[in-house]
Amino acid sequence: RSRKEKILLLLHVICISAMAVIAIESGWGAGIVVCIVTPGIILSLATLFKVKNYKFRTYLTIILVQFSLLIYVMNVKSLFAVTSTIVVLVVGASLYEIKEPLLITMGNTTFMLIYHLMFNKSVDFGSTVEAIRYIFQYSSIFVVQAIMYYIVKKQNERHRQLVEIIKELKNAE
């Protein structure tokens, strides 16, 4: 798990760094940059110093990365521009092999979409083609999240079954 955590930490640090650079270059202000970067620093320290246990660090990482993403997305002009980043972070979250944190990513994605639809008003359904493009892009994100949730859920079930089989075999000895 340690190696996987470090690889996922690298993924998260790269994503957060890219968001921070874009925020700086876009002139969003130091406060926004700090809000994007600070969670990356915290999750880096928690991972490197193995704070608490794997499950705790997983939840902490997902919450902090999703917070950075949320701050970033609330400041971009178009949610359409960050769909691939959202998908990468969802797939990365699924690699922790704990299904519940994926619900956090689903909730955050829903909030970001509603924010851009209602408050930022960056989603423009000006033409049929644009409407189809937006619906396809955003529904694709939710489909990926549902698939990853299902895969992790099935992995967890298989793991529990294997543990039970091993326990039964040990008792049979």
Side-chain angles (χ1 to χ4, degrees):
R1 284 186 173 174
S2 181
R3 185 166 189 241
K4 178 173 58 175
E5 272 189 279
K6 288 177 183 169
I7 291 169
L8 288 168
L9 173 62
L10 179 63
L11 168 74
H12 294 131
V13 167
I14 289 169
C15 288
I16 289 172
S17 298
M19 289 187 280
V21 168
I22 291 168
I24 292 166
E25 291 297 316
S26 299
W28 292 348
I32 292 171
V33 174
V34 168
C35 286
I36 291 171
V37 172
T38 302
I41 294 168
I42 294 168
L43 75 90
S44 297
L45 293 172
T47 301
L48 296 174
F49 291 108
K50 297 187 189 282
V51 173
K52 289 203 170 230
N53 57 49
Y54 179 79
K55 191 171 186 175
F56 174 83
R57 288 190 306 274
T58 297
Y59 275 93
L60 180 67
T61 298
I62 301 305
I63 290 167
L64 291 174
V65 169
Q66 290 297 309
F67 177 79
S68 289
L69 179 64
L70 177 64
I71 298 300
Y72 176 76
V73 167
M74 289 176 75
N75 287 280
V76 295
K77 289 185 172 51
S78 170
L79 185 58
F80 197 73
V82 294
T83 54
S84 59
T85 303
I86 294 169
V87 170
V88 165
L89 292 174
V90 166
V91 172
S94 71
L95 295 176
Y96 286 100
E97 299 175 356
I98 302 174
K99 66 180 180 175
E100 293 81 9
L102 293 173
L103 297 174
I104 296 168
T105 68
M106 290 178 190
N108 197 35
T109 302
T110 303
F111 178 81
M112 291 183 292
L113 178 58
I114 290 169
Y115 176 81
H116 272 268
L117 280 168
M118 300 180 97
F119 301 106
N120 196 330
K121 304 219 187 280
S122 66
V123 179
D124 180 23
F125 296 114
S127 68
T128 304
V129 172
E130 283 299 309
I132 292 169
R133 182 179 293 143
Y134 279 110
I135 291 168
F136 180 66
Q137 283 293 320
Y138 302 135
S139 61
S140 294
I141 294 171
F142 288 107
V143 168
V144 168
Q145 289 178 324
I147 289 169
M148 298 314 296
Y149 183 85
Y150 177 79
I151 289 170
V152 171
K153 179 181 173 188
K154 288 299 178 187
Q155 283 176 333
N156 290 342
E157 288 172 6
R158 282 192 294 276
H159 178 73
R160 273 192 290 281
Q161 289 171 346
L162 285 172
V163 167
E164 284 298 317
I165 290 170
I166 291 168
K167 189 186 283 184
E168 288 175 16
L169 288 172
K170 283 184 178 180
N171 289 337
E173 290 178 346

